[in-house]
Amino acid sequence: MKAWILEKQAKINERPLKLTEVPTPHAKDGEIRIKILVCGVCRTDIHIAEGDLSLRKTPLILGHEIVGIVDDVGNNVKQFKVGDKAGVSWLNRTCGKCKYCLSGKENYCPDIKSTGWDEDGGYAEYITVLENVALPLNDIRLEPSDIAPLMCPGIAGYAAFKLTKARKGSKLGLYGFGPTAFCVLKVAKSMDIEVYVSTRSPKNIEDAINQGADWAADTAKEQMPCTLGSAIVFPPAGNLVEPVLSQVEKGGTVVLAPVSSSPIVIENYTENLWGRTIETLYNLKKSEADEFLEIADRLKIKPERRIFPFEDLQDVLITVRHGKAKVANSVIKISD
Ligand SMILES: NC(=O)c1ccc[n+]([C@@H]2O[C@H](COP(=O)([O-])OP(=O)(O)OC[C@H]3O[C@@H](n4cnc5c(N)ncnc54)[C@H](OP(=O)(O)O)[C@@H]3O)[C@@H](O)[C@H]2O)c1
Ligand SMILES: [Zn+2]
Ligand SMILES: [Zn+2]
């Protein structure tokens, strides 16, 4: 099969990916093989390619926003059959035996494996994956290219949103307005939660208002009009944490979404931290992925996206790396 492979990490401008022929994988026991239709581009792909995250296998096929059609099933597969629509997200495998796996908190499994990092991902014609992590998509009526961007920012945003414990009528703050915050905004508004967005770029402020935010501005320049019940911080900017905590009422929760962050300093514990809870988003759960996809289908959540041919992947990564993408999500079309 054709696949883009990464053998050696390098700056994305040096074009570290190669489009080449590799052996087509076969479905082993408990696995399905998916003929990939589309795979969405995530910034994490660039972090792996450039070496911000270690290279855990080589050669490696990147990509973890995968939508396709099951074209082969291994022995003992019960939930999928050939012809089913299926997806694969960042969650690729957990041990199934540890205390976390046994209590529905597999996101904390010490043996968790990620798609397109520990295992080959979606910038290829086929992928094999255990059926118990594959996401069933037969009931999702959105187009594959609309589903792909939901697979990482969508699921992660939903997981972060659940950690806020926001309820109908409460006030939720979103700091940063990228693809992840967009999905949270849509879910929160459908639950009659008031949403206050802080983001710097005028385009993001305008987008947030157009997408239904109750208020949007750059809080470095303009004070939020009220205190918040809870908030999510998306950018990896540790300096935002104390101001956000100070904006959240006692008993409220601040969720930190990034996978890494600049240092977080709390100077005034008593005023700004005392009485609030900090949560961090740590990997994703299969149950949250299933829940979110059902909600996204019901609400017809369609993140802004542009489709590119398979051959253009490397150019797309360069564009995304330099913040030059014209729309928030790029999706690579792999087959019809
Ligand atoms: N924990 C997990 O398992 C997991 C999984 C997936 C994603 N994530 C995290 O979720 C976050 C959101 O990802 P995303 O792709 O949706 O968005 P993103 O593009 O990483 O950034 C979100 C927004 O934050 C704002 N921003 C960036 N740097 C900033 C800074 N220094 N100060 C203030 N605002 C800043 C930007 O808007 P403005 O320029 O308009 O301010 C941007 O649109 C990322 O940090 C990612 O690592 C975590
Ligand atoms: Zn991702
Ligand atoms: Zn485990």
Side-chain angles (χ1 to χ4, degrees):
M1 67 171 180
K2 270 196 255 160
W4 280 98
I5 59 164
L6 175 72
E7 283 177 321
K8 200 165 166 288
Q9 292 168 314
K11 288 288 171 203
I12 209 76
N13 282 5
E14 294 170 30
R15 303 185 161 264
L17 303 190
K18 271 193 228 118
L19 182 57
T20 184
E21 274 295 319
V22 299
T24 305
H26 293 283
K28 300 192 204 76
D29 276 10
E31 287 183 348
I32 58 173
R33 185 171 71 184
I34 298 173
K35 183 175 194 300
I36 301 174
L37 300 173
V38 291
C39 182
V41 171
C42 176
R43 262 176 196 281
T44 304
D45 302 334
I46 299 169
H47 290 307
I48 298 169
E50 295 201 326
D52 302 329
L53 295 169
S54 62
L55 190 57
R56 292 182 169 181
K57 83 178 272 296
T58 179
L60 169 69
I61 302 170
L62 295 164
H64 55 267
E65 299 180 5
I66 300 163
V67 181
I69 305 290
V70 177
D71 88 322
D72 189 17
V73 296
N75 291 331
N76 303 318
V77 167
K78 297 188 177 66
Q79 300 161 61
F80 289 91
K81 57 183 186 323
V82 170
D84 282 347
K85 192 155 68 154
V88 187
S89 70
W90 181 243
L91 178 69
N92 191 281
R93 198 151 30 93
T94 53
C95 80
K97 295 183 291 217
C98 71
K99 65 176 178 181
Y100 300 113
C101 286
L102 293 176
S103 60
K105 294 180 184 160
E106 76 273 16
N107 55 314
Y108 296 118
C109 174
D111 289 327
I112 197 161
K113 303 288 182 224
S114 301
T115 310
W117 190 19
D118 300 286
E119 300 291 340
D120 282 335
Y123 299 130
E125 290 178 290
Y126 297 90
I127 184 171
T128 52
V129 67
L130 287 167
E131 69 158 340
N132 62 4
V133 293
L135 300 167
L137 299 176
N138 281 352
D139 296 336
I140 309 295
R141 293 156 296 176
L142 297 165
E143 289 296 316
S145 54
D146 290 321
I147 300 173
L150 301 174
M151 302 292 279
C152 183
I155 298 168
Y158 182 65
F161 171 72
K162 286 192 81 166
L163 288 170
T164 67
K165 301 192 179 68
R167 296 278 175 274
K168 182 175 177 166
S170 67
K171 294 182 170 65
L172 172 67
L174 303 180
Y175 289 80
F177 195 70
T180 315
F182 164 86
C183 291
V184 178
L185 171 62
K186 289 293 176 191
V187 174
K189 287 314 299 175
S190 79
M191 293 169 63
D192 291 329
I193 291 165
E194 288 177 31
V195 181
Y196 296 79
V197 174
S198 169
T199 195
R200 297 165 306 178
S201 71
K203 179 179 184 301
N204 278 347
I205 293 173
E206 196 187 320
D207 283 354
I209 294 291
N210 288 340
Q211 297 299 336
D214 294 86
W215 182 92
D218 178 356
T219 47
K221 298 181 186 150
E222 208 175 310
Q223 177 73 19
M224 261 197 198
C226 53
T227 52
L228 303 166
S230 55
I232 309 175
V233 179
F234 290 101
N239 62 316
L240 285 177
V241 175
E242 185 162 15
V244 174
L245 282 163
S246 73
Q247 194 66 35
V248 168
E249 64 196 17
K250 304 269 189 320
T253 299
V254 173
V255 177
L256 308 181
V259 291
S260 66
S261 173
S262 57
I264 296 169
V265 179
I266 310 287
E267 283 183 0
N268 192 333
Y269 167 89
T270 312
E271 281 297 318
N272 296 333
L273 178 58
W274 201 27
R276 285 84 161 188
T277 302
I278 295 181
E279 292 270 9
T280 60
L281 177 63
Y282 186 77
N283 293 319
L284 310 171
K285 291 186 219 177
K286 166 80 163 61
S287 59
E288 287 169 344
D290 288 330
E291 255 172 63
F292 172 70
L293 288 168
E294 191 272 314
I295 294 170
D297 187 59
R298 184 160 41 80
L299 301 178
K300 296 192 175 62
I301 298 179
K302 283 192 190 183
E304 190 189 34
R305 51 91 179 133
R306 193 168 155 193
I307 303 172
F308 296 89
F310 192 34
E311 293 69 30
D312 289 3
L313 173 65
Q314 190 126 240
D315 295 311
V316 174
L317 292 174
I318 292 171
T319 310
V320 172
R321 168 72 176 83
H322 297 292
K324 299 238 167 75
K326 292 208 172 66
V327 302
N329 297 280
S330 304
V331 175
I332 305 298
K333 182 173 177 184
I334 296 170
S335 66
D336 287 314

